[in-house]
Amino acid sequence: MKRKLAYFASSFALAGAIVFGASFQAEGIGAQSCQGQCKRNQTACENAATTQGQKSQCKKSYQGCISSCK
């Protein structure tokens, strides 16, 4: 039970960190810069991820970030 709770908490924290970091983008930055920032956030998330579930959460966060660029 503790492992499941720790997994959930770490997944939630990784996703939150990516969304939080992506929300600080300055206004007026072009779509190319936005997409680059999303990719850098995804790479950092995947490097920090320890399980396949966490890596899939990184991909979902990346897709949400890209959607917000448009």
Side-chain angles (χ1 to χ4, degrees):
M1 183 67 174
K2 286 184 179 181
R3 281 187 177 178
K4 287 183 181 181
L5 185 58
Y7 170 75
F8 176 75
S10 63
S11 295
F12 186 74
L14 281 171
I18 289 175
V19 171
F20 184 74
S23 68
F24 280 106
Q25 294 182 12
E27 291 183 27
I29 295 176
Q32 188 70 10
S33 296
C34 182
Q35 290 175 357
Q37 182 65 38
C38 292
K39 186 64 178 171
R40 286 187 293 276
N41 288 344
Q42 181 191 24
T43 302
C45 179
E46 288 179 345
N47 289 340
T50 57
T51 65
Q52 190 62 32
Q54 290 172 338
K55 288 183 181 183
S56 67
Q57 187 66 33
C58 295
K59 290 179 184 177
K60 289 178 185 177
S61 296
Y62 172 74
Q63 290 172 349
C65 182
I66 291 294
S67 296
S68 68
C69 290
K70 297 176 183 177

Coordinates of all heavy atoms in Angstrom, one line a residue:
M1 N 0.8 -1.2 0.0 CA 0.0 0.0 0.0 C 0.9 1.3 0.0 O 0.6 2.2 -0.7 CB -0.9 0.0 1.2 CG -1.9 1.1 1.3 SD -3.0 1.0 -0.1 CE -4.1 2.3 0.3
K2 N 2.0 1.2 0.8 CA 2.8 2.4 0.8 C 3.5 2.6 -0.6 O 3.7 3.8 -1.0 CB 3.9 2.2 1.9 CG 3.4 2.3 3.3 CD 4.6 2.2 4.3 CE 4.1 2.4 5.7 NZ 5.2 2.3 6.6
R3 N 3.8 1.5 -1.3 CA 4.4 1.7 -2.6 C 3.4 2.4 -3.6 O 3.8 3.2 -4.4 CB 4.8 0.4 -3.2 CG 6.1 -0.1 -2.6 CD 6.6 -1.4 -3.3 NE 7.8 -1.8 -2.8 CZ 8.5 -2.9 -3.2 NH1 7.9 -3.7 -4.1 NH2 9.6 -3.2 -2.7
K4 N 2.2 1.9 -3.5 CA 1.2 2.5 -4.4 C 1.0 4.0 -4.1 O 0.9 4.8 -5.0 CB -0.2 1.8 -4.3 CG -0.2 0.4 -4.9 CD -1.5 -0.2 -4.8 CE -1.5 -1.6 -5.4 NZ -2.8 -2.3 -5.4
L5 N 0.9 4.3 -2.8 CA 0.8 5.7 -2.4 C 2.0 6.5 -2.8 O 1.9 7.7 -3.4 CB 0.6 5.8 -0.9 CG 0.3 7.2 -0.4 CD1 -1.0 7.8 -1.0 CD2 0.1 7.1 1.1
A6 N 3.2 6.0 -2.7 CA 4.4 6.7 -3.1 C 4.4 6.9 -4.6 O 4.9 7.9 -5.1 CB 5.6 5.9 -2.6
Y7 N 4.0 5.9 -5.3 CA 4.0 5.9 -6.8 C 3.0 7.0 -7.2 O 3.4 7.9 -8.1 CB 3.6 4.6 -7.4 CG 3.3 4.7 -8.8 CD1 4.3 4.7 -9.8 CD2 2.0 4.6 -9.3 CE1 4.1 4.8 -11.1 CE2 1.7 4.7 -10.7 CZ 2.7 4.8 -11.6 OH 2.5 4.9 -12.9
F8 N 1.8 7.1 -6.6 CA 0.9 8.1 -7.0 C 1.4 9.5 -6.7 O 1.3 10.4 -7.5 CB -0.5 7.8 -6.3 CG -1.5 8.9 -6.5 CD1 -2.2 8.9 -7.7 CD2 -1.8 9.8 -5.5 CE1 -3.1 9.9 -7.9 CE2 -2.7 10.8 -5.8 CZ -3.4 10.9 -7.0
A9 N 2.0 9.6 -5.5 CA 2.5 10.9 -5.1 C 3.6 11.4 -6.0 O 3.6 12.6 -6.4 CB 2.9 10.9 -3.7
S10 N 4.5 10.5 -6.4 CA 5.6 10.9 -7.2 C 5.1 11.2 -8.6 O 5.6 12.1 -9.3 CB 6.7 9.8 -7.2 OG 6.2 8.6 -7.8
S11 N 4.2 10.5 -9.1 CA 3.6 10.7 -10.5 C 3.0 12.1 -10.5 O 3.1 12.9 -11.4 CB 2.7 9.7 -10.9 OG 3.3 8.4 -11.1
F12 N 2.2 12.3 -9.5 CA 1.5 13.6 -9.4 C 2.5 14.8 -9.2 O 2.3 15.8 -9.9 CB 0.5 13.6 -8.1 CG -0.3 14.8 -8.0 CD1 -1.4 15.0 -8.9 CD2 -0.1 15.8 -7.1 CE1 -2.2 16.1 -8.8 CE2 -0.9 16.9 -7.0 CZ -1.9 17.0 -7.8
A13 N 3.5 14.6 -8.5 CA 4.5 15.6 -8.3 C 5.3 15.9 -9.6 O 5.5 17.1 -9.9 CB 5.5 15.2 -7.2
L14 N 5.6 14.9 -10.4 CA 6.3 15.1 -11.6 C 5.4 15.8 -12.6 O 5.9 16.8 -13.3 CB 6.7 13.7 -12.2 CG 7.9 13.1 -11.7 CD1 8.1 11.6 -12.2 CD2 9.2 13.9 -12.0
A15 N 4.1 15.4 -12.7 CA 3.2 16.1 -13.6 C 3.0 17.5 -13.2 O 3.0 18.5 -14.0 CB 1.9 15.3 -13.7
G16 N 2.9 17.7 -11.9 CA 2.7 19.1 -11.4 C 3.9 20.0 -11.7 O 3.7 21.2 -12.0
A17 N 5.0 19.4 -11.5 CA 6.3 20.2 -11.8 C 6.3 20.6 -13.2 O 6.7 21.8 -13.5 CB 7.5 19.4 -11.4
I18 N 6.0 19.8 -14.1 CA 6.0 20.1 -15.5 C 5.0 21.2 -15.9 O 5.3 22.2 -16.5 CB 5.8 18.9 -16.4 CG1 7.0 18.0 -16.3 CG2 5.5 19.3 -17.8 CD1 6.9 16.7 -17.0
V19 N 3.8 21.0 -15.4 CA 2.7 22.0 -15.7 C 3.1 23.3 -15.0 O 2.9 24.4 -15.6 CB 1.4 21.5 -15.2 CG1 0.3 22.6 -15.3 CG2 0.9 20.3 -16.0
F20 N 3.6 23.3 -13.8 CA 4.0 24.5 -13.1 C 5.1 25.2 -13.9 O 5.0 26.4 -14.1 CB 4.4 24.2 -11.7 CG 4.8 25.4 -10.9 CD1 3.8 26.2 -10.4 CD2 6.1 25.7 -10.6 CE1 4.1 27.3 -9.6 CE2 6.4 26.7 -9.8 CZ 5.4 27.6 -9.3
G21 N 6.1 24.5 -14.3 CA 7.2 25.1 -15.0 C 6.8 25.7 -16.4 O 7.2 26.7 -16.8
A22 N 5.9 25.0 -17.0 CA 5.4 25.4 -18.3 C 4.5 26.7 -18.2 O 4.4 27.4 -19.2 CB 4.6 24.3 -19.0
S23 N 3.9 26.9 -17.1 CA 3.0 28.0 -16.9 C 3.8 29.3 -16.8 O 3.2 30.4 -16.8 CB 2.1 27.8 -15.7 OG 2.9 27.8 -14.5
F24 N 5.1 29.3 -16.6 CA 5.9 30.5 -16.4 C 6.5 31.0 -17.7 O 7.4 31.8 -17.6 CB 7.0 30.3 -15.4 CG 6.5 30.4 -14.0 CD1 6.4 29.2 -13.2 CD2 6.1 31.6 -13.4 CE1 5.9 29.3 -11.9 CE2 5.6 31.7 -12.1 CZ 5.5 30.5 -11.4
Q25 N 6.0 30.6 -18.8 CA 6.5 31.1 -20.1 C 6.0 32.5 -20.3 O 4.9 32.9 -20.0 CB 6.0 30.2 -21.2 CG 6.5 28.8 -21.1 CD 6.1 28.0 -22.3 OE1 5.5 28.5 -23.2 NE2 6.3 26.7 -22.2
A26 N 6.9 33.3 -20.8 CA 6.6 34.7 -21.0 C 5.7 34.9 -22.1 O 5.7 34.1 -23.1 CB 7.9 35.5 -21.3
E27 N 4.8 35.9 -22.1 CA 3.9 36.1 -23.2 C 4.6 36.7 -24.4 O 5.7 37.3 -24.2 CB 2.8 37.2 -22.7 CG 1.9 36.6 -21.7 CD 0.8 37.6 -21.3 OE1 0.5 38.4 -22.2 OE2 0.3 37.5 -20.2
G28 N 4.1 36.4 -25.5 CA 4.7 36.9 -26.8 C 5.8 36.0 -27.3 O 6.4 36.3 -28.3
I29 N 6.1 34.9 -26.6 CA 7.1 34.0 -27.2 C 6.5 33.2 -28.3 O 5.3 32.7 -28.1 CB 7.6 33.0 -26.1 CG1 8.4 33.8 -25.0 CG2 8.5 31.9 -26.6 CD1 8.9 33.0 -23.8
G30 N 7.2 33.0 -29.4 CA 6.6 32.2 -30.5 C 6.3 30.8 -30.2 O 6.8 30.2 -29.2
A31 N 5.6 30.2 -31.1 CA 5.2 28.7 -30.9 C 6.5 27.9 -30.9 O 6.5 26.9 -30.2 CB 4.3 28.3 -32.0
Q32 N 7.5 28.2 -31.7 CA 8.7 27.4 -31.7 C 9.3 27.3 -30.4 O 9.7 26.3 -29.9 CB 9.6 27.9 -32.8 CG 10.8 27.0 -33.0 CD 10.5 25.8 -33.8 OE1 9.4 25.6 -34.2 NE2 11.4 24.8 -33.8
S33 N 9.4 28.5 -29.7 CA 10.0 28.5 -28.4 C 9.2 27.7 -27.4 O 9.7 27.1 -26.5 CB 10.2 29.9 -27.9 OG 11.1 30.6 -28.7
C34 N 7.9 27.8 -27.5 CA 6.9 27.1 -26.6 C 7.1 25.6 -26.8 O 7.2 24.9 -25.8 CB 5.5 27.5 -26.9 SG 4.3 26.8 -25.8
Q35 N 7.2 25.2 -28.0 CA 7.4 23.7 -28.3 C 8.7 23.3 -27.7 O 8.8 22.2 -27.2 CB 7.2 23.5 -29.7 CG 5.8 23.6 -30.2 CD 5.7 23.4 -31.7 OE1 6.6 23.2 -32.4 NE2 4.4 23.5 -32.2
G36 N 9.7 24.1 -27.9 CA 11.0 23.7 -27.4 C 11.0 23.6 -25.8 O 11.6 22.7 -25.3
Q37 N 10.3 24.5 -25.2 CA 10.2 24.5 -23.7 C 9.5 23.2 -23.3 O 9.9 22.5 -22.3 CB 9.5 25.7 -23.2 CG 9.4 25.8 -21.7 CD 10.7 25.9 -21.0 OE1 11.6 26.6 -21.5 NE2 10.8 25.2 -19.9
C38 N 8.4 22.9 -24.0 CA 7.7 21.6 -23.7 C 8.6 20.4 -23.9 O 8.5 19.5 -23.0 CB 6.5 21.5 -24.7 SG 5.2 22.7 -24.4
K39 N 9.4 20.4 -24.9 CA 10.3 19.3 -25.1 C 11.3 19.2 -24.0 O 11.7 18.1 -23.5 CB 11.0 19.4 -26.5 CG 11.8 18.2 -26.9 CD 10.9 16.9 -27.0 CE 11.8 15.8 -27.5 NZ 11.0 14.5 -27.4
R40 N 11.9 20.3 -23.6 CA 12.9 20.3 -22.5 C 12.2 19.8 -21.2 O 12.8 19.1 -20.5 CB 13.5 21.7 -22.3 CG 14.4 22.1 -23.4 CD 15.2 23.4 -23.1 NE 14.3 24.5 -23.2 CZ 13.9 25.2 -24.3 NH1 14.4 24.8 -25.4 NH2 13.1 26.2 -24.2
N41 N 11.0 20.2 -21.0 CA 10.3 19.8 -19.8 C 10.0 18.3 -19.8 O 10.2 17.6 -18.8 CB 8.9 20.5 -19.6 CG 9.1 21.9 -19.2 OD1 10.1 22.3 -18.7 ND2 8.0 22.7 -19.4
Q42 N 9.7 17.8 -21.0 CA 9.5 16.3 -21.1 C 10.8 15.6 -20.9 O 10.8 14.5 -20.2 CB 8.9 16.0 -22.5 CG 8.6 14.5 -22.7 CD 8.4 14.1 -24.1 OE1 8.7 14.8 -25.0 NE2 7.7 13.0 -24.3
T43 N 11.8 16.0 -21.5 CA 13.1 15.4 -21.3 C 13.5 15.3 -19.8 O 14.0 14.3 -19.3 CB 14.2 16.1 -22.1 OG1 13.8 16.1 -23.5 CG2 15.5 15.4 -22.0
A44 N 13.4 16.5 -19.1 CA 13.7 16.5 -17.7 C 12.8 15.5 -16.9 O 13.3 14.9 -16.0 CB 13.5 17.9 -17.2
C45 N 11.5 15.5 -17.3 CA 10.6 14.6 -16.6 C 11.0 13.1 -16.8 O 11.0 12.4 -15.9 CB 9.2 14.9 -17.1 SG 7.9 13.8 -16.3
E46 N 11.3 12.8 -18.0 CA 11.7 11.4 -18.3 C 13.0 11.0 -17.7 O 13.2 9.9 -17.3 CB 11.7 11.2 -19.8 CG 10.3 11.2 -20.5 CD 10.4 11.0 -22.0 OE1 11.4 11.1 -22.6 OE2 9.3 10.7 -22.5
N47 N 13.9 12.0 -17.5 CA 15.2 11.7 -16.9 C 14.9 11.4 -15.4 O 15.7 10.7 -14.8 CB 16.2 12.8 -17.1 CG 16.7 12.9 -18.5 OD1 16.6 11.9 -19.2 ND2 17.2 14.0 -18.9
A48 N 13.9 12.1 -14.8 CA 13.7 11.9 -13.4 C 12.7 10.7 -13.1 O 12.7 10.2 -12.0 CB 13.0 13.2 -12.8
A49 N 12.0 10.3 -14.1 CA 11.1 9.2 -13.9 C 11.8 7.9 -13.7 O 12.9 7.6 -14.3 CB 10.2 9.0 -15.2
T50 N 11.3 7.1 -12.8 CA 11.9 5.8 -12.4 C 11.1 4.6 -12.9 O 11.6 3.5 -12.9 CB 12.1 5.7 -10.9 OG1 10.8 5.9 -10.2 CG2 13.1 6.8 -10.4
T51 N 9.8 4.8 -13.3 CA 9.0 3.7 -13.7 C 8.3 4.1 -15.1 O 8.3 5.2 -15.5 CB 7.8 3.4 -12.7 OG1 7.0 4.6 -12.7 CG2 8.3 3.1 -11.3
Q52 N 7.8 3.0 -15.7 CA 7.2 3.2 -17.0 C 5.9 4.1 -16.8 O 5.6 4.9 -17.7 CB 6.8 1.9 -17.6 CG 6.4 1.9 -19.0 CD 7.5 2.5 -20.0 OE1 8.7 2.3 -19.8 NE2 7.1 3.2 -21.0
G53 N 5.2 3.9 -15.7 CA 4.0 4.7 -15.5 C 4.3 6.2 -15.4 O 3.6 7.1 -15.9
Q54 N 5.5 6.5 -14.8 CA 5.9 7.9 -14.6 C 6.3 8.5 -16.0 O 6.0 9.6 -16.3 CB 7.0 8.1 -13.7 CG 6.6 7.8 -12.2 CD 7.8 7.8 -11.3 OE1 8.9 7.5 -11.7 NE2 7.5 8.0 -10.0
K55 N 6.9 7.7 -16.8 CA 7.3 8.1 -18.2 C 6.1 8.4 -19.0 O 6.1 9.3 -19.8 CB 8.2 7.1 -18.8 CG 9.6 7.1 -18.2 CD 10.5 6.1 -18.9 CE 11.9 6.1 -18.2 NZ 12.8 5.3 -18.8
S56 N 5.0 7.6 -18.9 CA 3.8 7.8 -19.6 C 3.1 9.1 -19.2 O 2.5 9.8 -20.0 CB 2.9 6.6 -19.6 OG 2.4 6.4 -18.3
Q57 N 3.3 9.4 -17.9 CA 2.7 10.6 -17.4 C 3.5 11.8 -18.0 O 2.9 12.9 -18.2 CB 2.8 10.6 -15.8 CG 2.1 11.8 -15.2 CD 0.6 11.8 -15.4 OE1 0.0 10.7 -15.4 NE2 0.0 13.0 -15.5
C58 N 4.7 11.7 -18.2 CA 5.5 12.7 -18.8 C 5.0 13.0 -20.2 O 4.9 14.1 -20.7 CB 7.0 12.3 -18.9 SG 7.8 12.2 -17.3
K59 N 4.7 11.9 -20.9 CA 4.2 12.1 -22.3 C 2.8 12.8 -22.3 O 2.6 13.7 -23.1 CB 4.0 10.7 -23.0 CG 5.4 10.1 -23.3 CD 5.2 8.7 -23.9 CE 6.6 8.1 -24.2 NZ 6.5 6.8 -24.7
K60 N 2.0 12.5 -21.3 CA 0.7 13.2 -21.2 C 0.9 14.6 -20.9 O 0.2 15.5 -21.5 CB -0.2 12.5 -20.2 CG -0.7 11.1 -20.5 CD -1.5 10.5 -19.4 CE -1.9 9.1 -19.7 NZ -2.6 8.5 -18.6
S61 N 1.8 14.9 -20.0 CA 2.1 16.3 -19.7 C 2.6 17.1 -20.9 O 2.3 18.2 -21.1 CB 3.0 16.4 -18.5 OG 2.5 15.8 -17.4
Y62 N 3.5 16.4 -21.7 CA 4.0 17.0 -22.9 C 2.9 17.4 -23.9 O 2.9 18.5 -24.4 CB 5.0 16.1 -23.5 CG 5.5 16.5 -24.9 CD1 6.4 17.6 -25.0 CD2 5.1 15.9 -26.0 CE1 6.9 18.0 -26.2 CE2 5.5 16.3 -27.3 CZ 6.4 17.4 -27.4 OH 6.8 17.8 -28.6
Q63 N 2.0 16.5 -24.1 CA 0.9 16.7 -25.0 C 0.0 17.8 -24.5 O -0.4 18.7 -25.3 CB 0.1 15.4 -25.2 CG 0.9 14.3 -26.0 CD 0.1 13.0 -26.0 OE1 -0.9 12.8 -25.3 NE2 0.7 12.1 -26.8
G64 N -0.2 17.9 -23.2 CA -1.0 19.1 -22.7 C -0.2 20.4 -22.9 O -0.8 21.4 -23.2
C65 N 1.1 20.4 -22.7 CA 1.9 21.5 -22.9 C 1.8 22.0 -24.3 O 1.7 23.2 -24.6 CB 3.3 21.2 -22.5 SG 4.5 22.6 -22.6
I66 N 2.0 21.1 -25.3 CA 1.9 21.4 -26.7 C 0.6 22.0 -27.0 O 0.5 23.0 -27.8 CB 2.2 20.2 -27.6 CG1 3.7 19.8 -27.4 CG2 1.9 20.4 -29.0 CD1 4.7 20.8 -28.0
S67 N -0.5 21.4 -26.5 CA -1.8 22.0 -26.7 C -2.0 23.4 -26.3 O -2.7 24.2 -26.9 CB -2.9 21.1 -26.0 OG -2.9 19.8 -26.6
S68 N -1.3 23.8 -25.2 CA -1.4 25.1 -24.7 C -0.6 26.1 -25.5 O -0.8 27.3 -25.4 CB -1.0 25.2 -23.2 OG 0.4 24.9 -23.1
C69 N 0.3 25.6 -26.3 CA 1.1 26.5 -27.2 C 0.3 27.1 -28.3 O 0.6 28.1 -28.8 CB 2.3 25.7 -27.8 SG 3.6 25.3 -26.5
K70 N -0.7 26.3 -28.7 CA -1.4 26.7 -30.0 C -2.4 27.9 -29.7 O -2.8 28.3 -28.8 CB -2.2 25.5 -30.5 CG -1.2 24.5 -30.9 CD -1.9 23.2 -31.4 CE -0.9 22.2 -31.8 NZ -1.5 20.9 -32.2

